[in-house]
Amino acid sequence: MKILIKNGRVIDPANGIDKVTDIFIENGIISEVGEDSDLKGVEMEIIDASGKIVAPGLVDMHVHLREPGQEYKEDIETGTRAAVFGGVTSVACMPNTTPVCDNEAVVTYIKSRAAEVGYANVFPIGAVSKGQEGKLLAEIGEMAFAGAVAISDDGHPVENSALMRRAMEYSEMFDVVVISHCEDIALGEGDMNEGAVATSMGLRGISRAAEEVMAARDIIVAEAIGGRVHIAHISTKGSVELIRQAKKRGVRVTCETCPHYFALTEEACLGFNTNAKMNPPLRTAEDVAAIKEGLCDGTIDCIVTDHAPHHADEKNCEFGYAKNGIVGLETSLGLGIKCLVKEGVLTMGELIEKMAVNPSRILGIARGELGVGKAADIVIFDPDKKWTVDITKLHSKGKNSPYDGFELYGKPEYVIVGGEIVINQGELMK
Ligand SMILES: [Zn+2]
């Protein structure tokens, strides 16, 4: 398929481009960027992108696709379908499946399943430890050779510091990054952020220290051995400051946050709203301000969704029993535009950097840019066009979103994956 995207504002931070121009796609790759190409007589699909932004497809490096084993929550087909509706053309999926993705066979299964039914590119993440039990290292080399792009015990912390050290050492040999879910289990026991709101609701509070103690530990271990670590879903002012200082010292640490940590506060839990229950928990306005500052000054490298679909029954229950996590793939771009770009925290180019360029670099995947010869993964949207979230209409199997009724901007109108139009004028093509 040949596609010409005309007159859009092309934002390609990796190549320093932000201008109105055309993009020509041929055989799945970008073959030209510019207006003066001679395409007379060439048969092709033309997309008029006047007034819209043309950006690299988003890369979400923290997604739970739930397959294999938990398909009642989500599967690779529905998860990647939700992804493309959100403008996400590549997802890295976490290994806390059933069985755990801790060996070559599961990595290979996920990749072949994605090739068969996926709407977006899927990059599996392998476990740090066998069964994510935190005892023995998983087969890191074997998984990396099979295509795992990172290792993580996400969902659980790696409690044993020596195991974390060995994970950083081994992963270096195979050039995959360790993604750390930072939580001190004993300190982290609870239902929501520790403070007045939790007390007023009679719920057990989770201290910020639960996250910060582990973030500090990981930074210290990485610094001691010259290792590399990526800290997942940071939510507190203290974590931002720890990472800011570590980066200044030259520690090889990167990190991510999620839209809910800059769009919501702990007050979203009021009324025992289980769709606001997550781990780490929603924090305070002071933390939200610090997260925005960390995004603005470059301390926080990436915005990821931590897309965590659950069955309705796992959320329609007492707050204390409800599962942690929310779906996020279909609302992340809209929240980024609303809470960061419209509020002057980030430019559109910086938002795309954090949602496409930096995750690609951290994972070492050839995505997140629009240069000639690159994979044609593209999202086209109007950043000023409003839309309203209706959680009953989400394409994920999980409807556990706290954003029902939110007015957001920039719903993707066209999404191209590997040179194929997957979303056309907001509609799924296949
Ligand atoms: Zn996690």
Side-chain angles (χ1 to χ4, degrees):
M1 188 192 261
K2 294 187 174 92
I3 307 165
L4 178 66
I5 304 169
K6 278 187 79 70
N7 299 324
R9 177 180 162 201
V10 174
I11 302 186
D12 178 19
N15 294 302
I17 289 171
D18 184 345
K19 63 174 181 189
V20 174
T21 189
D22 301 345
I23 290 185
F24 186 58
I25 297 163
E26 218 174 351
N27 301 326
I29 61 166
I30 294 168
S31 65
E32 276 190 66
V33 181
E35 288 133 52
D36 40 31
S37 45
D38 183 21
L39 297 165
K40 278 191 202 90
V42 179
E43 208 171 295
M44 61 192 163
E45 190 99 12
I46 295 177
I47 296 174
D48 177 14
S50 307
K52 299 180 186 28
I53 286 176
V54 179
L58 306 180
V59 177
D60 189 341
M61 66 181 285
H62 193 141
V63 171
H64 298 273
L65 289 177
R66 307 297 194 200
E67 186 176 354
Q70 299 155 18
E71 290 85 353
Y72 72 98
K73 293 176 193 265
E74 189 81 289
D75 58 44
I76 289 170
E77 184 175 358
T78 59
T80 56
R81 191 174 66 200
V84 291
F85 272 102
V88 176
T89 54
S90 293
V91 302
C93 56
M94 284 297 174
N96 59 338
T97 46
T98 315
V100 168
C101 181
D102 62 359
N103 61 67
E104 184 188 0
V106 184
V107 172
T108 306
Y109 171 82
I110 292 169
K111 286 189 65 173
S112 61
R113 205 54 203 140
E116 211 177 311
V117 300
Y119 292 94
N121 307 301
V122 175
F123 296 93
I125 296 171
V128 167
S129 65
K130 284 196 175 133
Q132 291 194 309
E133 287 171 351
K135 291 179 184 136
L136 296 166
L137 278 187
E139 296 291 348
I140 297 170
E142 191 186 286
M143 292 189 293
F145 289 132
V149 293
I151 55 168
S152 179
D153 270 359
D154 186 59
H156 312 275
V158 175
E159 290 187 81
N160 182 323
S161 304
L163 192 76
M164 182 49 106
R165 173 196 171 145
R166 285 204 297 280
M168 285 185 205
E169 287 169 343
Y170 276 96
S171 60
E172 194 89 55
M173 290 189 235
F174 305 101
D175 204 20
V176 292
V177 67
V178 181
I179 301 174
S180 178
H181 166 114
C182 286
E183 179 185 5
D184 181 297
I185 289 286
L187 278 174
E189 211 172 301
D191 305 310
M192 63 173 289
N193 185 48
E194 186 173 78
V197 180
T199 307
S200 76
M201 292 169 71
L203 293 173
R204 299 172 307 160
I206 302 172
S207 161
R208 289 178 182 79
E211 175 178 317
E212 293 161 8
V213 161
M214 274 310 213
R217 193 270 323 251
D218 288 340
I219 288 166
I220 290 167
V221 173
E223 190 165 18
I225 63 165
R228 179 177 167 220
V229 67
H230 177 83
I231 298 185
H233 46 52
I234 66 164
S235 69
T236 75
K237 184 182 175 184
S239 295
V240 175
E241 189 52 25
L242 281 164
I243 293 160
R244 181 180 288 131
Q245 295 307 326
K247 283 188 165 183
K248 276 188 192 153
R249 295 198 302 279
V251 182
R252 296 166 68 209
V253 57
T254 52
C255 71
E256 63 188 36
T257 192
C258 312
H260 35 276
Y261 301 124
F262 59 72
L264 300 172
T265 62
E266 58 185 356
E267 271 89 10
C269 298
L270 287 168
F272 300 93
N273 177 11
T274 56
N275 282 338
K277 184 182 179 187
M278 52 199 91
N279 184 24
L282 297 173
R283 308 286 185 179
T284 64
E286 198 186 353
D287 295 292
V288 167
I291 292 288
K292 287 182 178 173
E293 212 181 303
L295 284 163
C296 180
D297 74 8
T299 301
I300 303 175
D301 304 273
C302 308
I303 297 168
V304 303
T305 61
D306 195 1
H307 179 82
H310 289 296
H311 190 272
D313 294 347
E314 296 170 318
K315 284 290 195 180
N316 290 336
C317 58
E318 267 183 62
F319 199 90
Y321 293 114
K323 295 269 192 203
N324 284 310
I326 61 169
V327 292
L329 284 165
E330 295 168 69
T331 47
S332 57
L333 176 62
L335 288 162
I337 297 172
K338 181 190 170 89
C339 303
L340 301 175
V341 178
K342 298 280 181 198
E343 288 188 23
V345 177
L346 298 179
T347 62
M348 188 59 76
E350 288 165 340
L351 182 71
I352 290 160
E353 247 170 343
K354 291 183 198 292
M355 297 188 80
V357 183
N358 295 346
S360 302
R361 285 188 183 150
I362 289 166
L363 297 175
I365 59 174
R367 291 295 190 288
E369 58 172 307
L370 298 176
V372 171
K374 301 291 176 190
D377 291 354
I378 293 174
V379 57
I380 301 174
F381 59 94
D382 178 347
D384 298 317
K385 201 164 163 186
K386 284 186 182 165
W387 64 283
T388 304
V389 182
D390 175 352
I391 60 172
T392 64
K393 298 212 167 75
L394 292 175
H395 298 87
S396 167
K397 279 185 196 173
K399 313 297 176 200
N400 49 311
S401 164
Y403 304 117
D404 199 27
F406 270 50
E407 212 168 59
L408 304 180
Y409 298 89
K411 195 178 192 137
E413 291 172 39
Y414 294 89
V415 177
I416 298 170
V417 181
E420 298 287 328
I421 300 174
V422 181
I423 300 280
N424 191 339
Q425 295 178 331
E427 301 290 332
L428 196 66
M429 287 295 279
K430 53 176 179 178

